[in-house]
Amino acid sequence: MLELHDGALTVPEILARWYALEATSNYGAYIPFVGTVREEDGIDGLSFDVYEPILTSWFDAWGAKVAPLGAVLKMAHSRGDVYLHESSYIAAVFSPKRRVALETIDAFVEDFKASAPIWKYDLKDGKRIYARERSTAIAGAGLLGRNG
Amino acid sequence: MLELHDGALTVPEILARWYALEATSNYGAYIPFVGTVREEDGIDGLSFDVYEPILTSWFDAWGAKVAPLGAVLKMAHSRGDVYLHESSYIAAVFSPKRRVALETIDAFVEDFKASAPIWKYDLKDGKRIYARERSTAIAGAGLLGRNG
Amino acid sequence: MITVEFLGPIQKPVLSMEASTLREVAEVLKQDPTMAEWIENCAVAVNDTLVGSLDTPLKEGDKVSLLPPVCGG
Amino acid sequence: MITVEFLGPIQKPVLSMEASTLREVAEVLKQDPTMAEWIENCAVAVNDTLVGSLDTPLKEGDKVSLLPPVCGG
């Protein structure tokens, strides 16, 4: 399950809804990761562009990767503006056993940061400024500049 | 924050309450781990004994350990009977940054399993049977049997 | 004709051009001074699948997407 | 007098005894056939602090706790 929301996520609602969805699926472990906008560098908030087709295929590939472990993944992300102390990202894993859940949430969140086609902007002084220094080139980037 | 509840945990309420408690603490990452009773081996549920004084000092030691990383921990656990597909355990970490949060929740949950003074029983056919094979001797156990 | 779209912070409208491989697209984009800051750090997708070779063939109607450095979360 | 309490699954009422070190408590418990299954796998706390030595001194009113293998979660 991949959800995109306009603006901030309603964290309690999402955490409760996912928990209820899997209430009788016999998973022993549920680990959500909630990402919240921090006050730093004088920003008023963050803003996000999401490219949904590639995000969906990336997410589906992760689903296929963890299915043999008995795990399922869910994710919610914001589009547009999210202000200080609001949340923009929730990733969650359900699995029968805790080790799989703990290892999966770590690997999923790290790959999300490195690969998911989402772009972050600082909201500052009424402007929307690409967070270039905090962004990561996707694996394989630079292809167009190769010679030969 | 360490909470002991009689019977199953009200997971949505706890996750929402903790989120609200730290809503303006400027943490960027919130990771709860939720443990739920699985249907296996024909059990009707699990039951727990908790020894609160040592649990509290164990938990407080963890709080002191992660404070220099800027992280805080919260934990809720059931006492008594918890039935199938109900939850008995929530551990959660808040921290400014995701790596600290991901590493802390993993280490905390694993040490909880190895060290927290809580005893688990299977509820089966009206009996309460100590889950000896799934239990772990606390580090340093066996002291009384040493010679000399 | 194929189209080239620029995602996220690259402020550039969709391009249409004739090209039979990704290499031909790269040659065009390398001439564009507004692309200088992006050529070395963008990943490339054809029809929404990331690709790893300039020899990737293109056919009529294909969509090439440029993905600059990401930061979700 | 000190007390010895048995936590979790050890079905045994609190004991009171005279002892000035944990070693003396161990000697008593090792004589008890109902303790045979627990001696080798219990951790020991004195006044709710885990201890690692049989030479741990005990004084009047101290509480020794035996903690069998755990499994929270």
Side-chain angles (χ1 to χ4, degrees), chain A residues 105-143:
Chain A
I105 196 67
D106 189 323
F108 180 76
V109 168
E110 290 299 326
D111 190 49
F112 168 83
K113 285 281 175 183
S115 306
I118 299 180
W119 296 276
K120 179 183 285 184
Y121 305 81
D122 289 335
L123 297 174
K124 203 169 179 175
D125 304 325
K127 290 195 286 286
R128 191 175 191 255
I129 307 155
Y130 176 50
R132 176 189 291 272
E133 322 69 48
R134 311 204 298 283
S135 300
T136 305
I138 295 173
L143 174 65

Side-chain angles (χ1 to χ4, degrees), chain B residues 35 46 48-49 51 53-54 57 77 88-89 112-121 128 130-132 134-148, chain D residues 5 7-11 22-23 25-27 29-30 35 37-45 48-54 63 65-73:
Chain B
L46 298 173
F48 298 92
D49 288 341
Y51 186 60
I54 293 180
S57 52
H77 203 285
S88 52
Y89 176 48
F112 168 83
K113 286 279 174 184
S115 307
I118 300 181
W119 296 276
K120 179 182 284 183
Y121 304 81
R128 189 174 193 257
Y130 176 49
R132 177 188 291 272
R134 311 203 297 285
S135 299
T136 306
I138 294 174
L143 174 63
L144 295 175
R146 272 185 223 156
N147 293 310
Chain D
E5 66 174 20
L7 298 175
I10 314 178
Q11 298 288 324
L22 197 55
R23 191 183 311 277
V25 177
E27 292 311 316
L29 295 176
K30 282 198 269 192
M35 286 304 297
E37 61 177 313
W38 301 113
I39 290 287
E40 298 294 342
N41 60 24
C42 275
V44 180
D48 294 329
T49 299
L50 292 170
V51 297
S53 166
L54 288 176
K63 177 179 71 170
S65 306
L66 267 66
L67 294 90
V70 297
C71 188

Side-chain angles (χ1 to χ4, degrees), chain A residues 48-49 51 53-54 77 88-89 112-114 116 118-121 130 132 134-138 141-146 148, chain C residues 5 7-9 22-23 26 30 37-45 48 51-52 54 63 66 68-73:
Chain A
F48 298 92
D49 288 340
Y51 186 60
I54 293 180
H77 203 284
S88 52
Y89 176 49
F112 168 83
K113 285 281 175 183
I118 299 180
W119 296 276
K120 179 183 285 184
Y121 305 81
Y130 176 50
R132 176 189 291 272
R134 311 204 298 283
S135 300
T136 305
I138 295 173
L143 174 65
L144 294 175
R146 273 187 223 154
Chain C
E5 64 174 20
L7 298 175
L22 197 56
R23 189 182 311 278
K30 283 199 266 190
E37 61 176 312
W38 301 111
I39 289 289
E40 298 294 341
N41 61 22
C42 275
V44 181
D48 293 330
V51 296
L54 287 176
K63 177 179 68 171
L66 267 64
V70 297
C71 188

Side-chain angles (χ1 to χ4, degrees), chain B residues 5-25:
Chain B
H5 295 250
D6 292 327
L9 302 180
T10 54
V11 173
E13 184 273 326
I14 294 169
L15 297 183
R17 181 162 43 84
W18 291 353
Y19 180 68
L21 266 176
E22 303 294 353
T24 58
S25 306

Side-chain angles (χ1 to χ4, degrees), chain C residues 5-58:
Chain C
E5 64 174 20
F6 303 89
L7 298 175
I10 315 179
Q11 299 287 326
K12 207 172 159 65
V14 175
L15 282 183
S16 293
M17 65 175 79
E18 297 291 344
S20 59
T21 67
L22 197 56
R23 189 182 311 278
E24 295 172 36
V25 176
E27 293 311 316
V28 171
L29 295 178
K30 283 199 266 190
Q31 310 305 315
D32 180 345
T34 69
M35 287 303 296
E37 61 176 312
W38 301 111
I39 289 289
E40 298 294 341
N41 61 22
C42 275
V44 181
V46 174
N47 300 330
D48 293 330
T49 299
L50 292 170
V51 296
S53 166
L54 287 176
D55 296 321
T56 304
L58 299 174

Side-chain angles (χ1 to χ4, degrees), chain B residues 17-82:
Chain B
R17 181 162 43 84
W18 291 353
Y19 180 68
L21 266 176
E22 303 294 353
T24 58
S25 306
N26 214 31
Y27 293 120
Y30 168 36
I31 310 181
F33 175 103
V34 180
T36 299
V37 177
R38 300 190 68 221
E39 186 169 6
E40 56 185 348
D41 304 326
I43 63 166
D44 302 312
L46 298 173
S47 191
F48 298 92
D49 288 341
V50 176
Y51 186 60
E52 192 166 352
I54 293 180
L55 182 64
T56 300
S57 52
W58 171 84
F59 182 78
D60 290 346
W62 261 97
K65 180 174 167 177
V66 303
L69 307 172
V72 295
L73 289 162
K74 299 186 195 297
M75 186 182 129
H77 203 285
S78 296
R79 269 193 288 234
D81 299 349
V82 182

